[in-house]
Amino acid sequence: MEVQVNGAKVLLTPIPGAFSNYRCDVVNGRVYSLELGRFLISNPGKRFGYCKVRMKKDDGSWKVLGVHEVVMSSAMGVEVSWWRNQTPKLEVHHLDDAKVKINNGIANLELTTRKKNMQQSSHKFGDTKRLGSDLALMIKLEFKKFDGKKSEFINGWLKLLNHEFTYSSIENVVIGKTYKNLEMN
């Protein structure tokens, strides 16, 4: 199927599975809704930077998928579950290794194992840099005084630390999952 976008023809391919109301522009990494007659908006998530889309399945339920997964699924002609169920499990890797995963065109994607993906991804989980006890204690003490949403606190610290650490590393300190033995006087 083709559609006109800004005077140019764009080839759209089916998305395997229960998504008959959608098509995919695998070259540019976008998802098109037949029902709406337009491409879905997909903004990068704050935590890991992946663009996601919310799609209505044929049974009426909704599913949120990464655009990179939809593109790979459409390009290969198989459902996302196919590579997730391989042994070892496979995942989609962005070749440009950008911190914000906005280039979801098929030329920038490859299937790889989790181990290889982690080795190739310098940004995915914060370069394995640890917070350290002093910084973790400071975060714990500041959170104790904070009167707002946990996510606002964590995002504030991410900005303050120039995104050198991941959302989850700060969140784990806040919820007491890591650095449990620190004394808070």
Side-chain angles (χ1 to χ4, degrees), residues 81-98:
S81 60
W82 179 83
W83 65 76
R84 287 184 179 167
N85 292 330
Q86 296 299 307
T87 304
K89 290 181 181 176
L90 299 174
E91 18 184 84
V92 181
H93 172 66
H94 286 79
L95 295 171
D96 66 3
D97 194 30

Side-chain angles (χ1 to χ4, degrees), residues 10 27 52 78 84 96 116 123 126 133 144 159 171:
V10 176
V27 172
K52 303 267 187 185
V78 296
R84 287 184 179 167
D96 66 3
K116 187 175 175 192
H123 303 290
S133 298
K144 210 171 186 183
K159 278 185 182 176
E171 180 182 41

